[in-house]
């Protein structure tokens, strides 16, 4: 069994701690209390910055979780000879090499393909197993596309399905699409840290986090089942 769920639980606990700090600061500011750190008096502007930080932090949990998923699949794959990989697995393993940007002539590109072929034929040691994520920032749709590429069974349960639907509250995006879009706006400077989440209340950020992290837990369960069941192997392996 992989430790994907353990890692996600630790990151969720860390995020919840930061959210609780922001909520405590918000309550103190509403009550009109003066909060100081040294000679600096904390204000609503500082809370706005913290809220943007929560959005970035939440997205980082998504990205870190999916990066670990890819790493765990790669590690398990290394223990299995390429001759036992399923056709889907071989195709997705090759996708990484197909996407490698290689400068040079036909001979240079041939070397890349030749190196991959030698590994698949077990004529050279398999030293790494890398998979290419779908293009775009991680969201529920990107995670689902990645799972389908690998042949991972990832059904949504009756509780999660309505929560992950596009909604006017998220500008007609799904919660995870909204999170990815807002994180990009902050990270790439389209929104400053002061206005990155100024239209979101802390309860709304908490709800966004709840949907996001619950969805990730389902995704982790699906990928763990794929890994533990060695579903990357051929049926007759």
């Amino acid at each position: 069994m992989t430790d994907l769920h353990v890692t996600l639980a630790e990151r969720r606990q860390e995020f919840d701690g930061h959210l609780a700090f922001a909520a405590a600061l918000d309550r103190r500011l509403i009550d009109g209390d003066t909060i100081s750190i040294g000679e600096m008096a904390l204000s609503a502007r500082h809370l706005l910055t913290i809220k943007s930080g929560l959005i970035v932090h939440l997205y980082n949990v998504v990205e870190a979780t999916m990066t670990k998923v890819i790493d765990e699949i790669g590690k398990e794959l290394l223990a299995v000879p390429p001759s036992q990989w399923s056709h889907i697995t071989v195709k997705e393993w090759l996708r990484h090499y197909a996407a490698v940007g290689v400068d040079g002539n036909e001979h240079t590109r041939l070397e890349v393909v030749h190196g991959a072929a030698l590994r698949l034929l077990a004529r050279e040691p398999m030293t790494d197993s890398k998979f290419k994520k779908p293009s775009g920032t991680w969201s529920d749709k990107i995670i689902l596309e990645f799972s389908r590429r690998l042949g991972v069974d990832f059904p949504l349960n009756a509780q999660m399905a309505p929560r992950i639907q596009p909604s006017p509250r998220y500008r007609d995006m799904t919660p995870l699409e909204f999170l990815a879009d807002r994180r990009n706006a902050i990270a790439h400077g389209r929104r400053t840290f002061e206005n990155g989440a100024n239209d979101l209340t802390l309860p709304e950020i908490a709800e966004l986090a709840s949907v996001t992290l619950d969805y990730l837990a389902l995704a982790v369960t699906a990928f763990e089942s794929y890994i533990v069941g060695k579903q990357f192997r051929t049926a007759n392996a």
Side-chain angles (χ1 to χ4, degrees):
M1 179 67 68
T2 69
D3 62 349
L4 290 171
H5 269 297
V6 174
T7 301
L8 178 58
E10 291 173 348
R11 290 184 175 275
R12 185 168 199 158
Q13 184 177 29
E14 182 184 69
F15 178 86
D16 287 345
H18 294 161
L19 181 62
F21 168 75
L25 176 59
D26 189 34
R27 287 192 298 269
R28 293 283 297 275
L29 291 173
I30 291 174
D31 292 340
D33 294 343
T34 300
I35 311 170
S36 299
I37 298 177
E39 297 181 356
M40 178 187 297
L42 298 184
S43 67
R45 293 182 62 186
H46 297 104
L47 180 61
L48 289 174
T49 298
I50 291 172
K51 286 164 64 176
S52 290
L54 288 171
I55 294 295
V56 174
H57 184 177
L58 183 60
Y59 176 77
N60 285 350
V61 174
V62 177
E63 184 171 52
T65 299
M66 292 310 302
T67 297
K68 188 167 181 60
V69 163
I70 292 173
D71 289 344
E72 290 292 336
I73 295 173
K75 286 194 297 185
E76 291 294 322
L77 201 60
L78 279 177
V80 178
S83 59
Q84 296 182 16
W85 295 359
S86 69
H87 290 303
I88 291 177
T89 302
V90 172
K91 181 179 179 180
E92 288 309 308
W93 184 81
L94 284 172
R95 189 187 295 273
H96 165 73
Y97 286 90
V100 172
V102 179
D103 295 326
N105 55 23
E106 178 181 337
H107 177 74
T108 305
R109 294 191 295 273
L110 177 61
E111 285 300 309
V112 173
V113 176
H114 186 227
L118 289 176
R119 288 172 173 78
L120 288 176
L121 294 170
R123 294 181 182 176
E124 284 191 3
M126 187 71 68
T127 57
D128 58 59
S129 295
K130 296 180 180 179
F131 290 94
K132 184 180 182 298
K133 69 176 283 291
S135 299
T137 309
W138 283 113
S139 69
D140 56 300
K141 292 183 179 179
I142 299 297
I143 292 172
L144 184 59
E145 181 182 350
F146 183 63
S147 69
R148 286 173 174 169
R149 281 184 180 180
L150 290 175
V152 176
D153 183 23
F154 182 14
L156 291 180
N157 59 36
Q159 292 74 36
M160 178 54 66
R163 298 175 68 198
I164 205 68
Q165 294 303 309
S167 167
R169 69 189 296 188
Y170 296 123
R171 294 169 50 202
D172 295 324
M173 292 183 277
T174 69
L176 272 81
E177 283 181 312
F178 175 81
L179 172 64
D181 180 74
R182 186 57 62 92
R183 175 266 181 186
N184 286 344
I186 297 169
H188 300 157
R190 296 197 304 275
R191 281 177 173 260
T192 67
F193 262 80
E194 277 197 24
N195 69 19
N198 61 343
D199 56 340
L200 298 172
T201 65
L202 284 174
E204 287 172 338
I205 293 175
E207 174 59 23
L208 177 62
S210 177
V211 176
T212 298
L213 297 171
D214 287 349
Y215 180 87
L216 275 183
L218 285 180
V220 163
T221 296
F223 283 105
E224 278 197 332
S225 296
Y226 172 83
I227 293 170
V228 173
K230 298 189 183 302
Q231 295 170 24
F232 45 79
R233 301 174 68 177
T234 59
N236 57 0

